[in-house]
Structure formats: structure tokens, C-alpha cells
Amino acid sequence: GALVAAPALGRRAGRPAAVALAVVGVATLGAALWPLGVVRGGRQDMLHLAFGATGYVSLSLLPLLGGLGRGGRERLASYALGAVTSACLLGTVPAEAVSGGLQRTGFAAAHLWLLAELWGVLRRPGR
């Protein structure tokens, strides 16, 4: 869905946000193609980690990039959700971060921004 939505998001939020969403889509496919393996820390896990980290970083940048060139509440909301997503990403870095709560909170913040943007695309005349 991210790859399909990227062009529409680009028309509303700009090219940097569209590129970030496309990277999220490719990284998500990569993480799905290389799920965590049976051998912990093996090659398959490293591939999953690389795709997952790339997707998560791109997802956390998405609202921040989408806030560029905006004013008022849209900019503030974009930056606030980007900050929440980025803080959650940083919270998942320590080896002790075994709970998925921070990760899911970060995903939810970025997806909330994305849903609001795509709702804006659908509401625009001549969509």
C-alpha cells in the first residue's frame, strides 16, 4: 500500500515525504521476505534487521519531511508526530528494549500522520 500511496502523498506533502514512504514500502517487503530466523543472530536475522531498521527510520522521517513547507497546525502536528515516532525509535535501540510497546507506539504515531495526509488527498477536489 505504501508504494501505491507514495505518488499521491507526494502531491500533497512533497517529494521528500513520497520518497520516504516508498522506502518504507520496499523495506517492509524486505522484512517480510526475510522474517526472523530459527538461528538467533544468523544471516536471516541480520537481513530482517537491516530492512526493519531502514523502514523504521524512513517511517520516523515521514511526518518530519511532510511538515516541511507547511505552516501553522499542520506543521506542528507533523513535527509532533515525527518527534514521537523518532523518540520511540531511539527507545528501541538498547538491547534491553525487548518489549514491542515503544515500537508499536512509534508505528501508530507515524501511521496516524499518514492516515490524516491520505484523508486530505481523498478530500481534495479532482482527486
Side-chain angles (χ1 to χ4, degrees):
L3 294 172
V4 172
L9 180 65
R11 288 188 293 278
R12 178 168 166 84
R15 183 171 170 80
V19 170
L21 185 58
V23 171
V24 168
V26 171
T28 301
L29 288 172
L33 289 172
W34 284 279
L36 293 173
V38 177
V39 178
R40 188 173 179 165
R43 180 183 169 174
Q44 188 164 337
D45 282 5
M46 293 299 109
L47 284 169
H48 180 81
L49 177 64
F51 281 112
T54 300
Y56 201 162
V57 168
S58 298
L59 189 65
S60 70
L61 290 173
L62 189 56
L64 298 172
L65 293 171
L68 297 174
R70 299 254 174 109
R73 293 185 306 182
E74 284 186 340
R75 177 184 292 195
L76 181 62
S78 292
Y79 288 169
L81 290 171
V84 168
T85 305
S86 298
C88 289
L89 167 63
L90 292 174
T92 63
V93 172
E96 300 84 33
V98 293
S99 166
L102 277 177
Q103 187 180 47
R104 283 164 184 75
T105 302
F107 287 163
H111 285 102
L112 180 64
W113 178 86
L114 183 58
L115 287 172
E117 288 299 314
L118 293 177
W119 178 252
V121 168
L122 291 175
R123 291 185 56 207
R124 188 172 54 193
R127 62 182 188 270

